[in-house]
Amino acid sequence: MTKTDLLIPSSRPLFDWGSDGLVVWMEELDGFGSLMAYIDEALAQVAFAIELQTGWDHRTDGHTFHPLYGYRLLLRDATGLWYAIRVDEAGKFAGYIPLEEFDYEIAYDKAIWLE
């Protein structure tokens, strides 16, 4: 499992994120709802980090799927609840599903089976 701390300027929320190969998880570190308010920026930053790790280049690989596409994405809000995040083929936020779970393993299992 990879864990990366990502610091965002003070006008945006602080969050951690990591991946276990199948699921990318993001955890809100400041106020409730702050990460969801900036979800597009957070996804772009996570995607950029994955782009650096995988070698995917948006300038030359634009005809292929975005680095986030295919991952299951989980977001843990400041209250501890998990949400499944949906992205489209371009890696843009396409909605979320409240999982109503506090336990990562249960949220992970639910996210794996979502379509």
Side-chain angles (χ1 to χ4, degrees):
M1 182 183 291
T2 303
K3 181 178 187 291
T4 304
D5 290 332
L6 188 60
L7 297 176
I8 303 173
S10 60
S11 65
R12 297 213 170 80
L14 296 175
F15 68 98
D16 277 346
W17 75 277
S19 172
D20 71 354
L22 298 174
V23 172
V24 170
W25 57 267
M26 297 183 298
E27 183 175 4
E28 184 173 61
L29 296 178
D30 54 5
F32 173 73
S34 60
L35 185 55
M36 193 61 81
Y38 291 99
I39 192 68
D40 290 324
E41 291 89 347
L43 290 173
Q45 290 182 11
V46 171
F48 180 69
I50 292 171
E51 186 174 333
L52 290 175
Q53 292 174 351
T54 62
W56 188 89
D57 188 339
H58 68 278
R59 296 168 295 181
T60 59
D61 298 329
H63 61 285
T64 63
F65 287 122
H66 191 272
L68 285 178
Y69 188 75
Y71 278 105
R72 301 297 188 202
L73 293 123
L74 286 173
L75 180 143
R76 183 173 182 241
D77 70 16
T79 68
L81 288 174
W82 289 98
Y83 298 83
I85 301 295
R86 294 182 186 253
V87 296
D88 61 17
E89 295 87 3
K92 301 292 182 196
F93 177 72
Y96 69 93
I97 300 169
L99 298 177
E100 299 180 6
E101 296 295 339
F102 287 103
D103 186 75
Y104 174 75
E105 285 79 19
I106 295 171
Y108 178 98
D109 289 341
K110 285 183 176 182
I112 289 295
W113 296 105
L114 290 174
E115 291 201 30

